[in-house]
Amino acid sequence: MAADQDAQGRLTGVARRHLKLIGALAAVATVLGLAAGLLLPSSAKATATVLISPLDGNPYSPNGRGDDLTNLESEAELVRADAVQQVVRQKLRSADRSRVSVTVPPNTQVLLITYAGSSATAARDGAQAFANGYLTYRSQRAQSVLTDRSNKLREQEKKVQQELTNTTKRLATAPASQKSFLRQRITAYNNQIGVIDEQNNDIAATPVNAGSVITPAQPPSGSLTARAATFGGVGLLVGLFAGLLIALALERSDRRLRDVRTVERLGVPVLSTVSSAGGLVLVTAPKSRAGEAYRRLRAAVVASVQERPVTLLVTNATPAASATLASSNLAVALAHAGSATIMVDASFSETSPSALFGLGQSKGLSDVLMRGTDPTQLLVHADSQLRLLPRGPGAGAAAERFSGPRMRETVRLLRDKAEYILINAPSVHDANAQALCTLADAVLIVVTLGQTTRADIEQAYLEAERAGAIVIGTVVEDSRGRRVASRDAGPRGGSHRGDAGPGGQPGGQPDYAPGTAMARPPHPPQGAPTPPAAPGRPSTTATSPDWSRFAGQDDVQRQQPGDASDSTETAVHKAIEA
């Protein structure tokens, strides 16, 4: 039962996603059906029922013999004979025997003569004409047999009469010895003539009734409108069926993920399902279903990474797609929970967190990476517990330095300022985003339904794991804004890379490999969601870095110590931070 409901649900989803295609094909097929019903030559059928009467020679006739039976199958073939068609065409010139079909009901003396005409009237006239023509021909044939017999009897009578006349003449001149013989011959001839007369009387009295039409042909019911409606209905059904088949074929060839269940079947934990529209819903509509979905995401993230501080990279599994909306709302959710949060905008998508928070353009991460500016001086307060490090101007060029020392120092320094450092990164398929994975303690991957493919999410997991990052799960963005099912109310058991055991230590290995339903073989854990500092990772107890060394050989624009604008900028940012 559950499998049937699941299959029905998938079929309904396919029909809904390809509704325009199915509707268009159904409309076209319906129009073609209506046109066919109105324009194509119509073919109507009418039937006449003929009862065959026994003729002379039939066993049902008083003079019939048992070896002379009426073969109804032969009679059925006779209806379509050339001789019958010639009789019919004397009354109906358009008669065509190829349009005639004859059936014989079992154990009857009945023929059902059906004629297919171009119209109801033509069908009726054709069926009636062949029924009458067949009976006429059958009567003519029977009459011809009787006439032939009568003619033969007359010829025989003439011969006997001639013999009688000759014998009578001989009797007059014959000697006495022959008169007795001749008188016997005359008597015999008279007897033969009497028998012949009786036979002629029988033939004359024999009825010639070939049969009768017991059910005349009637024009078939149905009008041109009904015919067009029938053709249109058939066209509609054919169009719907063809559209559904094409939709299923397209769906089978389409590798994009369409629903949460499909994502979960890949062995990927789904932390929450959120809407891909609506902006900062926790600010504009905190009590809405969309706001509740982000609170569930917050709970799942907090449960997955229990040690603080933690650097969480939020990226999208779809190439060239953005994770800005999900990361911004998650940052707001964490800040609303009272956790000091810093959001680093390392993306270069059209929509920036600064625009979502209503902040203007300002210096940011690009200035840190390109000019060596202190990132703590560029933090902008977006909420009571949320500060934002904007992307700054020239973010595309600055992305080349994500794998450099300045980016590592930036993350290390910001970890001393907040519990959660959220890095809003480009798609993990981007090489620069992969460099950011090496700086993060955990990675949250955004899956966009209708855009992300199975191959995309598998590659995203592969790239994150290759960089040594822990993927705590995915957040699914649904453009339809559907109500999040209760099964998405909390984090799934068993993260992809490992679950934190008591004390935050690694307590498990990934349950499934992306894209498969096979459990991975056990291997040594690579770390918990919040691992201790390791070589190449930012330290949680690092002292403030010496930012003067960022004016080294990799600096593009050296910051002059005496630059008045920089001093003013530093003072402003200090005032904002205060």
Side-chain angles (χ1 to χ4, degrees):
M1 181 66 69
D4 294 340
Q5 292 178 352
D6 190 42
Q8 184 178 1
R10 288 198 298 269
L11 188 62
T12 303
V14 171
R16 183 173 58 250
R17 287 190 290 272
H18 298 277
L19 185 60
K20 291 183 178 180
L21 172 64
I22 296 175
L25 287 177
V28 171
T30 302
V31 171
L32 292 178
L34 291 173
L38 294 173
L39 301 178
L40 291 178
S42 60
S43 178
K45 292 183 178 182
T47 301
T49 305
V50 176
L51 175 63
I52 298 177
S53 298
L55 294 173
D56 186 42
N58 192 280
Y60 301 102
S61 175
N63 298 325
R65 304 189 307 273
D67 58 350
D68 189 7
L69 301 176
T70 300
N71 190 324
L72 292 183
E73 295 297 334
S74 298
E75 294 296 325
E77 294 297 326
L78 181 62
V79 175
R80 295 188 293 266
D82 290 337
V84 174
Q85 181 170 252
Q86 291 176 3
V87 175
V88 173
R89 282 188 173 176
Q90 294 176 3
K91 298 294 180 89
L92 185 64
R93 290 186 175 275
S94 61
D96 184 2
R97 62 176 180 171
S98 63
R99 294 176 175 267
V100 178
S101 61
V102 184
T103 57
V104 181
N107 302 322
T108 65
Q109 292 289 116
V110 171
L111 296 181
L112 302 180
I113 301 175
T114 303
Y115 189 86
S118 58
S119 64
T121 303
R124 178 199 61 187
D125 294 343
Q128 194 66 36
F130 269 91
N132 294 333
Y134 162 70
L135 292 177
T136 300
Y137 175 75
R138 194 165 186 265
S139 297
Q140 291 175 354
R141 186 180 62 173
Q143 186 62 52
S144 175
V145 172
L146 295 177
T147 302
D148 288 344
R149 289 182 181 180
S150 179
N151 291 336
K152 290 179 179 180
L153 289 174
R154 289 192 182 93
E155 291 293 334
Q156 185 179 0
E157 184 180 12
K158 287 181 181 181
K159 293 180 179 180
V160 173
Q161 188 66 42
Q162 184 65 37
E163 291 292 336
L164 179 59
T165 302
N166 294 335
T167 303
T168 302
K169 288 180 181 181
R170 289 174 58 191
L171 181 60
T173 61
S177 59
Q178 293 183 355
K179 286 183 181 292
S180 178
F181 172 74
L182 293 175
R183 288 189 185 98
Q184 292 177 359
R185 297 295 299 170
I186 291 172
T187 301
Y189 289 141
N190 287 328
N191 292 336
Q192 289 183 16
I193 291 174
V195 173
I196 292 173
D197 288 339
E198 289 179 1
Q199 291 180 353
N200 278 327
N201 292 334
D202 289 341
I203 290 174
T206 300
V208 182
N209 183 15
S212 61
V213 179
I214 59 176
T215 303
Q218 298 293 333
S221 61
S223 61
L224 185 62
T225 303
R227 181 171 180 264
T230 301
F231 275 68
V234 173
L236 174 62
L237 295 178
V238 171
L240 290 174
F241 184 69
L244 188 58
L245 287 180
I246 294 176
L248 289 173
L250 292 176
E251 195 77 10
R252 190 176 184 84
S253 62
D254 188 2
R255 306 297 294 174
R256 290 177 292 180
L257 302 172
R258 295 292 185 179
D259 51 53
V260 178
R261 290 183 179 180
T262 306
V263 179
E264 291 175 333
R265 288 192 192 99
L266 300 177
V268 175
V270 178
L271 304 184
S272 184
T273 302
V274 300
S275 174
S276 61
L280 296 176
V281 294
L282 288 175
V283 176
T284 59
K287 300 299 183 180
S288 65
R289 293 174 179 173
E292 182 64 23
Y294 279 108
R295 282 190 286 272
R296 284 197 296 271
L297 176 61
R298 176 186 64 195
V301 170
V302 171
S304 299
V305 285
Q306 298 178 359
E307 292 187 0
R308 311 291 184 270
V310 60
T311 302
L312 178 63
L313 181 75
V314 184
T315 181
N316 202 303
T318 308
S322 171
T324 298
L325 188 62
S327 59
S328 299
N329 277 282
L330 177 58
V332 172
L334 291 171
H336 283 184
S339 299
T341 305
I342 295 177
M343 181 176 178
V344 180
D345 185 13
S347 69
F348 32 85
S349 61
E350 294 182 1
T351 302
S352 66
S354 297
L356 289 177
F357 288 106
L359 304 176
Q361 298 292 334
S362 61
K363 293 184 177 181
L365 181 62
S366 61
D367 296 276
V368 175
L369 299 180
M370 303 298 290
R371 303 178 60 188
T373 306
D374 187 346
T376 61
Q377 303 300 318
L378 302 181
L379 296 177
V380 179
H381 282 272
D383 195 69
S384 59
Q385 293 292 330
L386 174 61
R387 287 175 290 177
L388 171 67
L389 179 60
R391 67 180 60 171
E400 298 294 333
R401 300 198 174 188
F402 283 167
S403 58
R406 287 182 177 177
M407 189 66 199
R408 291 194 296 271
E409 291 293 341
T410 298
V411 173
R412 187 171 68 87
L413 180 61
L414 295 180
R415 288 172 64 92
D416 293 336
K417 301 293 183 181
E419 294 182 74
Y420 292 94
I421 295 88
L422 264 65
I423 302 178
N424 178 39
S427 171
V428 74
H429 296 272
D430 185 88
N432 296 319
Q434 296 168 17
L436 293 175
C437 289
T438 62
L439 307 177
D441 301 322
V443 176
L444 178 64
I445 297 178
V446 177
V447 176
T448 306
L449 296 183
Q451 297 181 13
T452 307
T453 66
R454 293 175 174 84
D456 291 340
I457 195 170
E458 290 175 6
Q459 186 66 24
Y461 265 82
L462 178 63
E463 296 298 341
E465 291 178 345
R466 185 179 297 169
I470 300 172
V471 180
I472 61 174
T474 62
V475 52
V476 175
E477 285 187 343
D478 190 351
S479 60
R480 292 166 292 185
R482 298 179 303 177
R483 183 176 183 178
V484 182
S486 60
R487 57 188 172 79
D488 296 330
R492 301 300 189 269
S495 65
H496 183 72
R497 291 289 302 274
D499 294 334
Q505 295 304 317
Q509 291 301 318
D511 296 321
Y512 299 94
T516 69
M518 300 291 294
R520 289 188 172 184
H523 57 277
Q526 299 182 14
T530 53
R537 289 291 183 99
S539 173
T540 57
T541 58
T543 57
S544 299
D546 181 10
W547 290 96
S548 61
R549 69 186 184 86
F550 282 91
Q553 67 275 10
D554 61 341
D555 192 9
V556 177
Q557 296 181 353
R558 296 176 180 271
Q559 182 179 357
Q560 300 297 328
D563 191 1
S565 61
D566 287 345
S567 300
T568 303
E569 172 192 332
T570 302
V572 170
H573 284 292
K574 286 182 177 181
I576 292 175
E577 184 177 9

